[in-house]
Amino acid sequence: MTPSPALHAQLRPVIGAQWINLGLCVALLSVAFALPHGVSPAVWIRSTIIVVVSLFMLLCGMQMRQGRRWAYVRAKWIAILGTLGFVGVAALPGPFPAWMRIEQGAQALVFLALAWMLTRPALASFFPPVKAWIHTGKANPLPAASAREASFDYLRAFIVLLVLLHHSVLAYAVLWPAQPRTFGILPAPIVDPQRWAGFDVLAAFNDTFFMALMFLLSGLFVWPSLERKGGARFLRDRTLRLGVPFAVAAGLLMPLAYYPSYAVTGADPGFLAYARAWLSLGFWPSGPAWFIWLLLVFDAVAAGIYVLRRRWTANAQAPCHLGVYGRPTAFVAVLLVVSAVVYVPMELAFGAERWLTLGPFSFQASRLLLYATYFLVGLQMGAFGLDSGILARSAGLARRWPIWLSAGLAAYALRLAVIVTLVLPVAATHRPLPLTLRLLSDLTLVLCCSTISFAFIALFCRFAIAPQPVFDRLSTSSYGMYLIHYPVVVWLQFALLAVALGPIAKGAIVFVGAVVLSWGLVVALRRVPVIARVL
């Protein structure tokens, strides 16, 4: 395309950041030359690579001034991937000295700023794909709101698959001690001797965001449903949809799911002996069904707010002033602050892993207010509509999915580095974590929770737009799969205990088996009209 003054104005801060990055590279080499005897070969190799990359980035900036799309595409992806590389060098263990890690952290910030600037719709519109709309100065159109609703249905089904994967691999994670010989309710009912540390990384990744995102997605359509049905009918329908399945899951499915954990202890395998052991626990474990009853409580609170709002105001429609909700970056920043305010004090008071139980009702104490916050965020997003606020076409959340993806991955890399280099060494000595480490761990969890959640929202809003029959059927069955998958997972892990396979193979077998069996059971159950109303 023909270069223009408007394009040059958009590129001015980009090229300025590239010169700053090159200056940091020169500073790094200067320090390396000043310390010739204290610098390892890895420092020289890394320095040479980033100098070459920085020069190439500057060349791309000059070519972008001429309207070259190839330069724009390469610069954008180098900025995104480079951010992750710099974060890894700065945070993860390696042969690099502390002064270099500080410099690499500074370059990570510069590359993150470059990725943000290069993915702005105002700049991206100057470099449209070959088959895209002709540039008119306006942003390219995105799919209609109905396609966005399908995107969120597909995202919800994907998160359910992540839940199945999470539970499928817990038995093969390294973090657990050997299978206990006394019956108890543990996060991993079966602990296989075959372990793989990669499953710990996967489990830690899921744990940072997927249940908070589930609450956000669950709250997304609550306000439109309230306006369509009214508070009383909405609450009656949600009680049927959530309360009845919770009673079935807690009362029947969970005792079935935990029997293998009792069986491996070598105790009396009889039903009455198991019943006595179950009742002696002092509470009634509900397993993953905890999410369902807590969601019902949140829905009841939302219904109450809706009814009170109709009584106190003449117009119960959603507010028209978007405020910070119209700007994705500012909105997520506010969410970060609020999440830290509600999570950190709870974690310091109760600890990260403590669960509070009353009969079959249980929840992770430190995350109660965090989950409530994400539910309210979903409620607000649904109240404004899926075609306004941060999801609006002009907001650009979907168009800027690379920056959100890179931010989520960088946040998790930082959290992983904190856990591996700081938390685990202290935990290995069985000493309590110092306050500073607890605060750092809490803040990285909050950071991961928000950035990864909105990275997935951006990805699905951008790519999950065309109807897919398989995903439509999966989305229809995903709620039922969440309800009934846990007994399937635990019994498959129990059956594979004596099988001579590696941990990756076992984890894959359990996951595939759990998906196929739970999906098939849900499809069969939904053929019964009464059950279909609930599932």
Side-chain angles (χ1 to χ4, degrees):
M1 61 172 287
T2 304
S4 67
L7 173 60
H8 289 180
Q10 292 288 338
L11 286 174
R12 196 171 294 117
V14 173
I15 295 177
Q18 290 172 340
W19 279 108
I20 293 173
N21 178 66
L22 185 61
L24 289 172
C25 292
V26 172
L28 175 64
L29 285 175
S30 300
V31 174
F33 275 113
L35 302 170
H37 301 293
V39 174
S40 67
V43 173
W44 291 112
I45 295 173
R46 173 70 182 174
S47 302
T48 303
I49 292 174
I50 61 177
V51 166
V52 173
V53 171
S54 299
L55 290 173
F56 181 72
M57 282 281 285
L58 196 57
L59 172 64
C60 289
M62 301 304 177
Q63 292 297 313
M64 282 190 290
R65 291 174 61 90
Q66 304 303 315
R68 305 295 169 79
R69 174 173 167 76
W70 68 265
Y72 168 74
V73 173
R74 283 163 176 75
K76 178 176 67 174
W77 283 107
I78 290 174
I80 293 169
L81 298 176
T83 301
L84 302 178
F86 284 121
V87 169
V89 172
L92 296 177
F96 304 108
W99 59 267
M100 184 175 182
R101 292 177 185 274
I102 295 173
E103 188 276 339
Q104 295 288 278
Q107 284 194 278
L109 294 176
V110 174
F111 263 61
L112 184 60
L114 278 170
W116 180 80
M117 289 186 284
L118 289 167
T119 55
R120 284 182 303 142
L123 178 58
S125 62
F126 286 99
F127 302 96
V130 175
K131 297 182 180 180
W133 296 74
I134 297 175
H135 177 63
T136 62
K138 297 182 179 180
N140 295 337
L142 283 177
S146 60
R148 292 171 180 235
E149 293 181 11
S151 298
F152 285 106
D153 287 338
Y154 292 167
L155 177 55
R156 183 164 45 197
F158 173 76
I159 297 300
V160 170
L161 289 181
L162 276 187
V163 172
L164 268 66
L165 177 62
H166 184 82
H167 291 146
S168 296
V169 303
L170 279 184
Y172 313 105
V174 176
L175 66 120
W176 313 117
Q179 181 76 46
R181 307 311 298 176
T182 57
F183 178 53
I185 304 302
L186 301 174
I190 297 296
V191 180
D192 198 288
Q194 297 292 327
R195 316 285 189 88
W196 182 49
F199 288 146
D200 294 79
V201 177
L202 174 62
F205 175 77
N206 288 336
D207 183 63
T208 59
F209 80 97
F210 70 162
M211 295 314 298
L213 182 54
M214 281 277 281
F215 279 107
L216 187 151
L217 296 174
S218 299
L220 199 60
F221 300 101
V222 166
W223 197 265
S225 183
L226 282 167
E227 292 188 331
R228 188 174 62 254
K229 299 178 180 180
R233 183 185 167 195
F234 168 81
L235 195 55
R236 183 172 63 250
D237 290 347
R238 297 307 286 171
T239 301
L240 177 65
R241 177 82 165 162
L242 299 174
V244 173
F246 172 75
V248 173
L252 298 178
L253 297 181
M254 289 310 111
L256 176 64
Y258 285 107
Y259 179 80
S261 183
Y262 170 78
V264 295
T265 64
D268 183 351
F271 172 76
L272 291 179
Y274 175 54
R276 286 193 295 270
W278 180 270
L279 295 175
S280 67
L281 292 171
F283 66 102
W284 191 282
S286 59
W290 68 266
F291 167 79
I292 300 171
W293 82 263
L294 191 56
L295 178 60
L296 180 58
V297 172
F298 290 165
D299 284 338
V301 172
I305 293 173
Y306 176 80
V307 171
L308 291 176
R309 194 167 184 271
R310 286 186 64 89
R311 291 180 179 178
W312 291 344
T313 61
N315 181 11
Q317 300 296 319
C320 298
H321 302 290
L322 297 177
V324 74
Y325 182 59
R327 304 189 302 275
T329 305
F331 182 77
V332 175
V334 172
L335 176 60
L336 268 171
V337 174
V338 175
S339 299
V341 170
V342 299
Y343 174 72
V344 173
M346 294 288 284
E347 192 282 325
L348 294 178
F350 294 101
E353 305 300 329
R354 184 180 175 187
W355 286 72
L356 300 180
T357 60
L358 178 63
F361 305 105
S362 62
F363 60 90
Q364 195 169 357
S366 62
R367 301 191 184 188
L368 175 63
L369 298 182
L370 180 68
Y371 292 151
T373 299
Y374 273 78
F375 177 81
L376 291 175
V377 167
L379 188 72
Q380 183 187 32
M381 292 169 69
F384 281 118
L386 301 184
D387 202 29
S388 63
I390 66 173
L391 300 179
R393 294 179 175 90
S394 58
L397 179 68
R399 287 191 185 88
R400 306 187 69 187
W401 65 268
I403 185 64
W404 290 104
L405 178 61
S406 61
L409 293 175
Y412 182 62
L414 177 62
R415 175 162 177 78
L416 201 60
V418 169
I419 292 174
V420 172
T421 60
L422 300 175
V423 174
L424 290 182
V426 176
T429 63
H430 304 288
R431 292 183 289 113
L433 289 178
L435 178 60
T436 52
L437 281 188
R438 291 183 67 179
L439 289 174
L440 184 59
S441 177
D442 294 346
L443 293 176
T444 56
L445 184 139
V446 167
L447 178 64
C448 286
C449 191
S450 59
T451 54
I452 296 175
S453 294
F454 280 88
F456 275 110
I457 291 173
L459 280 172
F460 275 78
C461 286
R462 174 61 182 86
F463 294 106
I465 52 180
Q468 299 290 339
V470 174
F471 291 116
D472 287 335
R473 290 193 289 270
L474 177 63
S475 177
T476 302
S477 302
S478 61
Y479 176 53
M481 292 170 65
Y482 181 88
L483 279 171
I484 69 174
H485 79 278
Y486 203 59
V488 178
V489 167
V490 178
W491 277 90
L492 285 173
Q493 293 168 342
F494 180 54
L496 291 175
L497 272 176
V499 178
L501 288 174
I504 298 177
K506 286 187 175 184
I509 291 172
V510 173
F511 174 63
V512 173
V515 171
V516 172
L517 292 175
S518 59
W519 194 353
L521 284 171
V522 171
V523 171
L525 289 171
R526 285 177 58 84
R527 294 183 181 274
V528 180
V530 176
I531 298 178
R533 290 185 60 192
V534 178
L535 297 184

